[in-house]
Amino acid sequence: MSSVAVVLFTSDLRLHDHPVLRAALRDADEVVPLFVRDDAVHRAGFDAPNRLAFLADCLADLDAGLRDRGGRLIVRRGESAREVKRVVEETGAGSVHIAAGVSGYAAQREERVREALAGTGCELRVHDAVVTALAPGRVVPTGGKDHFAVFTPYFRRWEAEGVRGTLAAPRTVRVPDGVSGDTLPDRDTAKNVSPGLARGGEQAGRKLVTSWLHGPMADYEDGHDDLAGDATSRLSPHLHFGTVSAAELANRAREKGGPGGEAFVRQLAWRDFHHQVLAARPDASWSDYRPRHDRWRSDEDEIAAWKSGRTGYPLVDAAMRQLAHEGWMHNRGRMLAASFLTKTLYVDWRVGARHFLDLLVDGDVANNQLNWQWVAGTGTDTRPNRVLNPVIQGKRFDPDGAYVRRWVPELAEVEGPAIHEPWKLEGLDRAGIDYPDPVVDLAEARSRFERARGLD
């Protein structure tokens, strides 16, 4: 009789460099590649339309890759632990393999699967360094602390530790006969999807990796903040869904080398940094990591203007409109939009984090929430009171206004850096421009923030 193992795919929807799948194939003659569409994700409000559409692409691509190797993907809907137990009972599987996660949901899922398998004789095996390049908790500070709270010392240890080697994709995956699954979800059935949303799936991700490593990455150190040039990898959605491996990406970027490769690897370490923070402090997903005793404001009109890209500050509005159209935003735009909400409008970072999670295709708890906290000054930033001025940021990172013109067509006829201060236009230059005045004066907002933080 053939031995059977189950692989519960989660945020690792790929075949290349997949330690979970490789371990299962070593364990057993046959493997059940399982993905559960857990109702708990819906109840928590994390099944945003853009991520559902991208997920459909990923699952279809994963199924196609498995079929090329003689297998197939089994998709079921329900509670993860219950569906895993059902598959174990149907197949007599001796082991279940899953990638370790750091979110509260991932921890609860793992514990429930463990409880469901108790007494069945089936072993649960949890694998590290699948979702991240380096496992959270792999490096810790001296003195007994459980995580690094500052990035630079973490990065030094991260580099010294090194990333595991890259695994090849399996040639063959044999799936037991008679295991049934639901129909794969269809991207076209997802509603309210951003019109410019990119395609998902491992094939799309690997093509993007190859293009990135052999071209734009070389200029990443100098160009990553160029908003109009868009000189970023755009790999964050693929890292979120695990269609590309963070470990493989770090290894290949290091092989290419150069300042661009080094700068990109540092960004992968930044991603790992936030995962290790959340693993140690899971409450940081919605609670201040470092409380500042903020007395947040809540002006619904200002919040609505921010969400819709009608604040009167062109660079902020351009970034928010890119988010709505693509389900993605340039990193410099994310920083500015978050700073404007939390430091200029002085609105609770959780309001912005929730809006981003509603739209971002790459929105995950570790990176979204902790980056928001970093900008808001309640997280790991060593300069918690810094404020990004949208006019200065525009003139520095979009000097001729090309990014703004792309996303704020009302200002398309405004030439040069004047586009970042349209309220200063006069006469014919301002005539016919249907664009709002600023929702707040920057100097007054800065003074208000400083008073609230006790800095005046």
Side-chain angles (χ1 to χ4, degrees), residues 101-408:
V102 299
S103 69
Y105 167 73
Q108 292 174 9
R109 176 180 58 204
E110 180 185 322
E111 184 58 30
R112 287 172 180 166
V113 170
R114 194 181 306 278
E115 291 173 355
L117 296 180
T120 65
C122 181
E123 175 191 11
L124 176 64
R125 294 185 58 190
V126 181
H127 300 265
D128 287 327
V130 180
V131 175
T132 53
L134 197 68
R138 180 67 178 272
V139 294
V140 294
T142 57
K145 294 183 179 180
D146 59 359
H147 72 288
F148 282 92
V150 178
F151 175 69
T152 300
Y154 171 80
F155 182 54
R156 286 196 293 265
R157 291 288 302 279
W158 188 94
E159 280 198 304
E161 183 71 18
V163 175
R164 63 169 177 78
T166 303
L167 301 171
R171 294 183 178 180
T172 303
V173 179
R174 294 178 53 205
V175 179
D177 294 331
V179 184
S180 62
D182 299 335
T183 303
L184 291 171
D186 186 350
R187 176 190 175 108
D188 294 335
T189 63
K191 299 178 180 179
N192 301 316
V193 175
S194 293
L197 183 70
R199 284 279 170 179
E202 184 175 15
Q203 290 190 64
R206 294 191 71 79
K207 287 179 181 177
L208 195 56
V209 168
T210 298
S211 174
W212 170 250
L213 293 175
H214 290 86
M217 189 182 73
D219 299 320
Y220 182 69
E221 183 182 36
D222 295 328
H224 68 276
D225 279 326
D226 179 0
L227 284 155
D230 196 14
T232 61
S233 72
R234 286 185 173 256
L235 284 167
S236 55
H238 293 280
L239 286 165
H240 172 62
F241 283 91
T243 54
V244 300
S245 156
E248 179 183 4
L249 199 50
N251 287 331
R252 293 181 65 181
R254 277 177 168 157
E255 288 172 4
K256 293 295 291 185
E262 293 173 4
F264 184 63
V265 169
R266 186 179 176 89
Q267 291 302 309
L268 293 171
W270 178 254
R271 178 176 181 270
D272 278 10
F273 171 70
H274 279 154
H275 277 78
Q276 62 96 38
V277 171
L278 191 63
R281 291 279 300 277
D283 62 318
S285 60
W286 289 108
S287 299
D288 290 348
Y289 179 79
R290 287 180 174 144
R292 305 291 175 188
H293 308 292
D294 286 294
R295 300 182 296 277
W296 301 112
R297 300 172 62 252
S298 184
D299 186 309
E300 294 303 323
D301 290 338
E302 291 180 358
I303 293 171
W306 177 81
K307 288 181 177 180
S308 62
R310 298 282 293 175
T311 68
Y313 289 98
L315 197 60
V316 174
D317 294 342
M320 296 303 293
R321 294 184 193 189
Q322 181 182 28
L323 172 63
H325 183 80
E326 296 187 354
W328 184 89
M329 190 194 295
H330 191 288
N331 182 59
R332 175 55 57 174
R334 298 188 197 204
M335 292 175 63
L336 176 61
S339 178
F340 188 83
L341 185 72
T342 60
K343 301 284 182 63
T344 302
L345 300 183
Y346 199 42
V347 171
D348 194 329
W349 64 267
R350 281 159 280 248
V351 174
R354 178 72 261 176
H355 182 68
F356 270 34
L357 281 178
D358 287 343
L359 291 174
L360 280 175
V361 65
D362 60 22
D364 66 37
V365 173
N367 296 296
N368 185 64
Q369 312 303 84
L370 292 176
N371 271 314
W372 265 96
Q373 289 224 50
W374 188 90
V375 175
T378 63
T380 62
D381 188 5
T382 56
R383 293 173 53 198
N385 297 313
R386 80 177 80 201
V387 179
L388 300 182
N389 182 303
V391 176
I392 295 173
Q393 291 280 304
K395 292 179 178 179
R396 181 178 179 185
F397 298 113
D398 187 33
D400 66 359
Y403 178 76
V404 168
R405 289 186 195 88
R406 185 180 306 160
W407 295 108
V408 187

